[in-house]
Amino acid sequence: AQSVTQPDIHITVSEGASLELRCNYSYGATPYLFWYVQSPGQGLQLLLKYFSGDTLVQGIKGFEAEFKRSQSSFNLRKPSVHWSDAAEYFCAVGALAGNQFYFGTGTSLTVIP
Amino acid sequence: DTGVSQNPRHKITKRGQNVTFRCDPISEHNRLYWYRQTLGQGPEFLTYFQNEAQLEKSRLLSDRFSAERPKGSFSTLEIQRTEQGDSAMYLCASSPRETNEQFFGPGTRLTVL
């Protein structure tokens, strides 16, 4: 069965601290992995994606993620969090062409000054 | 690039009424997706179009739901005889022919009273 697990429902970090959001997936084919961010009442914005090649991918807003096939994980990281990063973060897995994405339940990030 | 647009942004309706939402994808994208997102959850796949052909439907898409993409451009999602359980954010996404990178619209928030 295809699924994505984000074990942390809510994370609070101080501004300037580092951040890691966890994502584990189960997918029957070669996974294509994505991280999206959603601000309240808004749609989803793509942060980064992994299709193949280098397992460490860079995205927008200073985010990066590392694909670890052996652990079925695709964790999102940022070395120094800004107050504007407070939002909901979703990990998703899909196929290369067509078809649907499977999303995790999201991790809500609070940034304290 | 004007992005994916959705109308209306908000819809409040009474139980039993019909509602229709519209999605305008990015112009050169041939794939279009509908998702539903309830509070505290990630988006759940509803249906997918490639050009004008509806290629996949989730079991979440009951008989009261119908989606069309008549000319392979914009799409509509209609819900007949709305129920309170239909209250959710309805998200539309589109992707280009070459990849499965999905670009999301801002969503339509439906409230059924």
Side-chain angles (χ1 to χ4, degrees):
Chain A
Q2 338 286 20
S3 67
V4 173
T5 301
Q6 294 182 245
D8 304 305
I9 297 173
H10 185 254
I11 284 182
T12 299
V13 298
S14 298
E15 191 168 15
S18 63
L19 172 70
E20 182 169 25
L21 303 182
R22 296 183 290 165
C23 172
N24 292 94
Y25 67 90
S26 173
Y27 198 68
T30 302
Y32 294 93
L33 296 151
F34 306 83
W35 274 100
Y36 285 87
V37 61
Q38 185 178 37
S39 297
Q42 302 298 312
L44 283 75
Q45 181 184 22
L46 180 68
L47 285 176
L48 48 77
K49 59 187 183 286
Y50 173 77
F51 287 157
S52 64
D54 192 349
T55 56
L56 184 65
V57 294
Q58 303 297 320
I60 63 171
K61 303 185 180 184
F63 286 92
E64 66 178 27
E66 185 172 13
F67 171 61
K68 293 184 177 180
R69 184 184 301 275
S70 62
Q71 299 177 19
S72 298
S73 69
F74 188 57
N75 294 349
L76 182 71
R77 299 193 295 249
K78 186 169 185 178
S80 176
V81 170
H82 188 263
W83 65 265
S84 61
D85 293 325
E88 190 88 16
Y89 291 80
F90 292 95
C91 181
V93 64
L96 175 60
N99 229 309
Q100 59 178 291
F101 281 4
Y102 296 87
F103 283 85
T105 52
T107 297
S108 176
L109 175 65
T110 297
V111 180
I112 55 176
Chain B
D1 179 7
T2 58
V4 178
S5 62
Q6 292 186 246
N7 288 288
R9 294 292 308 277
H10 303 274
K11 179 70 176 179
I12 300 174
T13 190
K14 293 182 179 179
R15 189 177 55 184
Q17 298 295 304
N18 299 344
V19 295
T20 300
F21 310 141
R22 176 176 170 131
C23 171
D24 287 89
I26 294 172
S27 59
E28 63 269 24
H29 288 182
N30 68 327
R31 299 189 185 115
L32 186 146
Y33 309 80
W34 286 99
Y35 291 84
R36 182 172 69 186
Q37 184 180 22
T38 53
L39 197 63
Q41 299 297 315
E44 295 176 293
F45 172 79
L46 292 178
T47 190
Y48 152 62
F49 290 85
Q50 183 165 305
N51 300 312
E52 65 276 9
Q54 189 173 18
L55 297 186
E56 191 169 346
K57 292 194 294 185
S58 163
R59 63 180 183 277
L60 293 176
L61 211 67
S62 76
D63 291 345
R64 297 184 297 105
F65 288 69
S66 62
E68 294 182 341
R69 194 183 183 197
K71 297 184 179 179
S73 57
F74 72 92
S75 176
T76 58
L77 177 68
E78 180 183 16
I79 309 175
Q80 296 181 326
R81 305 180 304 281
T82 52
E83 302 172 356
Q84 288 185 325
D86 297 331
S87 296
M89 175 80 89
Y90 290 84
L91 294 166
C92 175
S94 67
S95 68
R97 187 184 310 274
E98 302 79 19
T99 76
N100 197 13
E101 180 176 337
Q102 296 185 18
F103 295 81
F104 282 81
T108 295
R109 181 166 294 285
L110 173 66
T111 301
V112 182
L113 302 176

